[in-house]
Amino acid sequence: MNIKILTPEYVVFEGEVDSVLLPGKDGEFHIMKNHAGIVSSLVGGKVKLFTSSIGEAYAKNFTKESEKDSVFSYPIKSGVVEFNHDKGIILCE
C-alpha cells in the first residue's frame, strides 16, 4: 500500500509500506492492506511505518523503533489521515 506523509513544510515520506500505526483520539489504530476507507483526526504521538526499508531521502525523518521488525517512527503533534483503495495521505504537524 502507498502512504504519503506531509507537513506544511515538506514531504516526510512517500512510498510503499506493509502497514501503518497511527495515534487516534481514542488510541492507536493500525491500517493494513485492503483496509476499508477511513478519514480520521490524529493526536500527538508517533506515526509508525512497518516496512522493510525507508528510502535514503526520507530516512533522516525517522527513528528506527526495532532492528528486528523494521518499524520506523515519526513524531507528530496532530493531523488527519485519509485512506482508501490502498492509498493513504497523512497531513500532520
Side-chain angles (χ1 to χ4, degrees), residues 1 3 17-21 30-33 48-51:
M1 60 187 220
I3 295 293
V17 300
D18 297 323
S19 64
V20 60
L21 186 67
H30 210 138
I31 296 178
M32 302 175 85
K33 188 172 180 155
K48 294 183 182 180
L49 302 179
F50 293 77
T51 184

Side-chain angles (χ1 to χ4, degrees), residues 20-31 35 38-43 48 81:
V20 60
L21 186 67
L22 300 162
K25 180 181 171 192
D26 294 327
E28 291 183 322
F29 62 98
H30 210 138
I31 296 178
H35 194 286
I38 186 173
V39 175
S40 179
S41 61
L42 303 173
V43 297
K48 294 183 182 180
V81 60

